[in-house]
Amino acid sequence: MDYMDIDRLKNLFSDMLRNQSTLRSMDLGIEGKLIAIGYKPYWTNRQDSKIETLELNFIDKRGVMVPIILKNVVDYELYPKEGKKSKKYRANMIEIILLSPYMLSRNSKDVYDKIKLEIIYDD
């Protein structure tokens, strides 16, 4: 992931925040509206290849704020992949790929954790 990909991911989350889209993660057991986003580093630099910390704050149906802190975001995938050049294209799911320090110590083949966030549009 380069700095332009990091900016695209930040723009995607900013659009979701602005449009009050609902996000659901079956992996984490959350569903709610995105109300706040935090990044470390905050400003994207040309040398950046990952987001050290991504904090997403949701508010669920009961009105409880649920924070999620993701460390070492190294990549992401948007689904569906086809039609990205179209103006009518909307992502339905985002898969965030994290570098897991726990997997590095176990000599595992896959050193990445993946978290899927389903985007539910209100319209």
Side-chain angles (χ1 to χ4, degrees):
M1 182 162 75
D2 63 359
Y3 74 99
M4 292 181 72
D5 289 332
I6 293 171
D7 276 343
R8 281 188 211 107
L9 182 63
K10 287 181 176 182
N11 287 336
L12 178 70
F13 279 120
S14 295
D15 287 343
M16 285 188 262
L17 181 67
R18 190 176 318 111
N19 296 332
Q20 290 291 300
S21 301
T22 303
L23 295 175
R24 179 187 313 147
S25 174
M26 295 301 202
D27 302 333
L28 302 174
I30 59 156
E31 180 176 347
K33 296 204 180 282
L34 189 61
I35 59 169
I37 311 165
Y39 305 101
K40 182 180 178 187
Y42 186 74
W43 299 106
T44 306
N45 202 344
R46 286 189 180 271
Q47 290 82 23
D48 290 338
S49 61
K50 69 176 183 174
I51 299 173
E52 291 176 32
T53 305
L54 173 63
E55 183 174 350
L56 303 171
N57 293 311
F58 300 90
I59 192 156
D60 67 2
K61 293 176 187 174
R62 297 174 292 156
V64 177
M65 189 181 89
V66 180
I68 296 176
I69 299 173
L70 305 172
K71 302 275 188 178
N72 299 321
V73 177
V74 293
D75 205 4
Y76 66 95
E77 289 287 333
L78 297 175
Y79 297 101
K81 289 186 176 185
E82 67 274 355
K84 284 187 179 179
K85 306 261 190 243
S86 170
K87 292 189 181 217
K88 294 182 180 181
Y89 172 77
R90 290 199 308 189
N92 293 331
M93 185 171 51
I94 181 169
E95 183 177 61
I96 300 173
I97 302 168
L98 312 166
L99 181 63
S100 176
Y102 305 111
M103 297 296 187
L104 290 173
S105 62
R106 289 195 225 153
N107 295 332
S108 177
K109 290 182 181 178
D110 192 16
V111 295
Y112 300 104
D113 288 330
K114 297 178 182 177
I115 295 175
K116 293 181 182 176
L117 295 171
E118 196 176 335
I119 304 166
I120 303 165
Y121 297 97
D122 291 335
D123 54 16

